[in-house]
């Protein structure tokens, strides 16, 4: 498991107050919304803020965010190619 993926899982757990989860509970390919972790639209806004604050990535297109937030692997791949921090 890469450090970025572990860092993302820890940030998601902390930012979204998912105290019942551990890093090991989240698979890199698990869906973050719907049947996966069950995140909702408010959580999506928190993830957008997390990307901007921690990685300098500003998302303005909601359709783009849907693609990026499919899984930890998708988020990590996007961050690796677009991060400014």
């Amino acid at each position: 498991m890469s450090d970025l993926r572990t860092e993302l899982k820890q940030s998601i757990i902390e930012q979204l107050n998912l105290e019942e989860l551990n890093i090991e509970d989240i698979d890199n390919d698990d869906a973050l919304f719907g049947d996966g972790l069950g995140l909702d639209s408010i959580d999506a806004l928190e993830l957008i803020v997390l990307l901007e604050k921690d990685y300098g990535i500003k998302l303005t297109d909601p359709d783009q965010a849907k693609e990026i937030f499919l899984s930890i692997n998708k988020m990590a791949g996007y961050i690796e190619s677009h991060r400014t921090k």
Side-chain angles (χ1 to χ4, degrees):
M1 183 181 309
S2 78
D3 290 338
L4 177 58
R5 285 161 179 77
T6 302
E7 179 182 304
L8 275 173
K9 291 175 188 180
Q10 188 64 46
S11 293
I12 288 171
I13 289 169
E14 290 174 7
Q15 294 285 325
L16 304 181
N17 296 317
L18 302 173
E19 291 108 8
E20 70 279 1
L21 292 178
N22 294 309
I23 291 171
E24 298 80 18
D25 296 330
I26 305 171
D27 188 84
N28 290 338
D29 289 316
D30 282 349
L32 298 180
F33 293 85
D35 292 337
L37 289 183
L39 303 183
D40 60 24
S41 59
I42 301 297
D43 298 323
L45 294 174
E46 293 284 339
L47 293 179
I48 289 171
V49 171
L50 183 151
L51 284 184
E52 186 169 354
K53 183 180 77 169
D54 292 353
Y55 305 103
I57 297 171
K58 187 168 186 158
L59 298 179
T60 55
D61 181 357
D63 289 333
Q64 182 185 32
K66 287 179 187 175
E67 287 290 319
I68 295 166
F69 297 150
L70 284 176
S71 68
I72 293 295
N73 274 334
K74 288 281 190 181
M75 282 184 73
Y78 189 83
I79 290 168
E80 286 169 345
S81 61
H82 293 85
R83 70 187 309 170
T84 60
K85 292 184 179 179

